[in-house]
């Protein structure tokens, strides 16, 4: 038997209560700040930057032409939107890390091009 996912806990039970709304805004601001801190920490490591680049570049195909069938257009557009939001978040958290990610990717690609062909090639 599968469990249904739990609903997220409501931050405000009574939207007309100014104190509840104010507290909810504080909670959301703290969550956002913690997420930014976590992202900055992730961007400090080369492994973290590689994982984020893989999500943006390889999984979402952000920098690839959108050569898909008509039934895949909306799914691909959603991936592009998600990757765009992630890029903006990275740029807000640490603009230098975004530049570093691009440099590291270019070096990996140059290394791949210089590598001798394998049996699969």
């Amino acid at each position: 038997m599968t469990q249904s996912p739990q609903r997220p806990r409501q931050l405000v039970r009574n939207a007309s209560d100014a104190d509840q709304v104010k507290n909810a805004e504080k909670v959301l601001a703290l969550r956002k700040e913690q997420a930014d801190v976590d992202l900055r920490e992730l961007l400090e490591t080369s492994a973290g930057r590689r994982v984020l680049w893989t999500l943006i570049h390889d999984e979402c195909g952000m920098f690839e032409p959108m050569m898909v069938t008509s039934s895949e257009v909306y799914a691909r557009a959603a991936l592009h939107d998600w990757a765009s939001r992630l890029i903006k978040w990275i740029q807000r958290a640490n603009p230098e890390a975004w530049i570093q990610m691009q440099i590291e990717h270019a070096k990996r690609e140059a290394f791949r091009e210089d590598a001798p062909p394998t049996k699969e090639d």
Side-chain angles (χ1 to χ4, degrees), residues 4-39:
S4 61
Q6 291 182 347
R7 290 178 39 192
R9 188 170 157 256
Q10 293 176 326
L11 294 175
V12 176
R13 291 184 183 267
N14 180 358
S16 65
D17 184 343
D19 289 336
Q20 286 186 32
V21 172
K22 190 173 184 178
N23 287 337
E25 289 171 349
K26 286 180 185 177
V27 167
L28 291 175
L30 287 172
R31 285 181 185 173
K32 183 179 180 211
E33 180 58 31
Q34 184 60 53
D36 288 346
V37 168
D38 292 344
L39 179 62

Side-chain angles (χ1 to χ4, degrees), residues 101-116:
M101 289 169 69
Q102 294 176 55
I103 292 168
E104 290 169 351
H105 172 72
K107 287 179 181 177
R108 285 191 302 273
E109 289 299 307
F111 177 77
R112 256 186 232 139
E113 290 173 5
D114 293 341

Side-chain angles (χ1 to χ4, degrees), residues 10-120:
Q10 293 176 326
L11 294 175
V12 176
R13 291 184 183 267
N14 180 358
S16 65
D17 184 343
D19 289 336
Q20 286 186 32
V21 172
K22 190 173 184 178
N23 287 337
E25 289 171 349
K26 286 180 185 177
V27 167
L28 291 175
L30 287 172
R31 285 181 185 173
K32 183 179 180 211
E33 180 58 31
Q34 184 60 53
D36 288 346
V37 168
D38 292 344
L39 179 62
R40 282 191 291 273
E41 191 172 310
L42 188 63
L43 290 168
E44 291 296 319
T45 67
S46 60
R49 290 188 302 271
R50 273 194 314 273
V51 166
L52 290 169
W53 185 267
T54 299
L55 288 171
I56 293 166
H57 184 268
D58 299 339
E59 297 301 320
C60 293
M62 183 63 184
F63 306 111
E64 301 294 325
M66 207 185 282
M67 306 294 282
V68 294
T69 64
S70 59
S71 63
E72 297 171 325
V73 167
Y74 295 113
R76 179 63 77 177
L79 288 173
H80 275 230
D81 182 54
W82 188 87
S84 254
R85 290 171 186 239
L86 184 55
I87 290 168
K88 287 177 187 172
W89 187 25
I90 291 167
Q91 289 174 333
R92 187 182 73 232
N94 186 344
E96 293 81 20
W98 175 245
I99 295 167
Q100 184 66 32
M101 289 169 69
Q102 294 176 55
I103 292 168
E104 290 169 351
H105 172 72
K107 287 179 181 177
R108 285 191 302 273
E109 289 299 307
F111 177 77
R112 256 186 232 139
E113 290 173 5
D114 293 341
T118 61
K119 290 182 181 181
E120 290 85 28

